[in-house]
Amino acid sequence: QKEVEQDPGPLSVPEGAIVSLNCTYSNSAFQYFMWYRQYSRKGPELLMYTYSSGNKEDGRFTAQVDKSSKYISLFIRDSQPSDSATYLCAMTLIKAAGNKLTFGGGTRVLVKP
Amino acid sequence: DVKVTQSSRYLVKRTGEKVFLECVQDMDHENMFWYRQDPGLGLRLIYFSYDVKMKEKGDIPEGYSVSREKKERFSLILESASTNQTSMYLCASTAGQYSNQPQHFGDGTRLSIL
């Protein structure tokens, strides 16, 4: 079993819909959680970064962490065709040597005009 | 903004060649990483370095080595390239040895071994 599980998709939604993405993990020691967006033929770019449980909002993006359920989510409101990309969750321990990240496999999202 | 630059976007090499992939970051970050990304397998860590001349094996180091002679530059070396090393290679960097800062990625090198 992988340490971090993420549905590969593709997840297809109409423009304007809410996109809901999630990851589950098995290591309760993970404390820092990130979401990256990766466009085709580009490197991942950081979208959201949260510590421990709770919600964080940035424009159209909301990240949620539920440590008791070992479950993290990313919501994209008013989705646009430009949001079509692969979304990767990542997490790390509180004192990871070299700040090593553990990644999910990524979910491909398609927003149709 | 942090900039991580990988020297080649696309590279084609032959089986048995020694291949060098170069990565440079401009933010004086302590930590640098090399990943490969394959469909269905996600990002897998090959090697990382938390200081000049220091290196640690990641999850899949076999067939690879690294070099970090200067803080801003981290090289990945395929000692004798094989077809199963055809992949997208991503370099990343982050500040602080234990700061839990997120990693910043380059745009990747798509390597084909023929």
Side-chain angles (χ1 to χ4, degrees):
Chain A
Q1 186 185 1
K2 292 181 183 177
E3 260 192 306
V4 180
E5 298 277 0
Q6 190 176 4
D7 189 322
L11 178 63
S12 183
V13 300
E15 184 175 355
I18 294 175
V19 175
S20 175
L21 304 166
N22 57 74
C23 289
T24 57
Y25 62 94
S26 56
N27 189 346
S28 58
F30 286 134
Q31 294 279 355
Y32 294 85
F33 304 91
M34 290 139 236
W35 285 95
Y36 286 84
R37 177 176 62 196
Q38 186 176 22
Y39 291 117
S40 180
R41 288 183 284 277
K42 300 283 278 183
E45 58 178 323
L46 181 69
L47 270 181
M48 301 288 281
Y49 174 58
T50 55
Y51 169 66
S52 198
S53 286
N55 292 0
K56 184 174 182 179
E57 194 171 314
D58 184 2
R60 297 185 296 114
F61 299 92
T62 299
Q64 288 184 351
V65 175
D66 182 348
K67 290 196 71 201
S68 61
S69 302
K70 300 196 190 75
Y71 188 91
I72 68 170
S73 302
L74 177 71
F75 300 97
I76 308 173
R77 290 184 299 281
D78 188 25
S79 58
Q80 304 295 311
S82 58
D83 294 324
S84 298
T86 296
Y87 290 81
L88 301 154
C89 65
M91 46 201 77
T92 188
L93 306 173
I94 195 160
K95 288 287 187 185
N99 300 339
K100 279 179 61 178
L101 293 181
T102 301
F103 284 87
T107 300
R108 188 165 157 239
V109 172
L110 300 170
V111 180
K112 297 186 175 180
Chain B
D1 271 1
V2 176
K3 189 147 182 71
V4 178
T5 302
Q6 294 184 231
S7 54
S8 305
R9 292 297 306 276
Y10 301 94
L11 210 52
V12 180
K13 296 290 182 181
R14 296 205 173 273
T15 305
E17 279 192 69
K18 191 168 186 175
V19 181
F20 294 84
L21 304 183
E22 305 287 344
C23 175
V24 176
Q25 50 92 4
D26 66 355
M27 287 301 291
D28 201 36
H29 282 171
E30 286 79 5
N31 309 302
M32 297 187 74
F33 306 80
W34 275 106
Y35 295 88
R36 62 178 285 176
Q37 186 176 30
D38 301 286
L41 297 176
L43 272 78
R44 292 181 291 168
L45 181 63
I46 304 170
Y47 266 97
F48 70 100
S49 168
Y50 53 88
D51 203 350
V52 175
K53 296 192 185 294
M54 304 303 290
K55 60 185 180 184
E56 292 278 343
K57 291 181 180 178
D59 300 317
I60 51 163
E62 296 78 20
Y64 303 94
S65 63
V66 290
S67 171
R68 193 158 180 212
E69 296 296 318
K70 292 184 178 181
K71 193 174 186 180
E72 68 271 18
R73 186 180 296 270
F74 192 35
S75 303
L76 180 70
I77 303 155
L78 284 67
E79 297 290 345
S80 177
S82 64
T83 54
N84 63 12
Q85 292 178 310
T86 291
S87 186
M88 169 74 121
Y89 289 87
L90 290 162
C91 175
S93 74
T94 188
Q97 290 192 10
Y98 294 98
S99 67
N100 304 107
Q101 292 300 303
Q103 293 178 15
H104 300 269
F105 286 83
D107 278 338
T109 296
R110 190 165 291 281
L111 176 64
S112 296
I113 306 297
L114 305 178

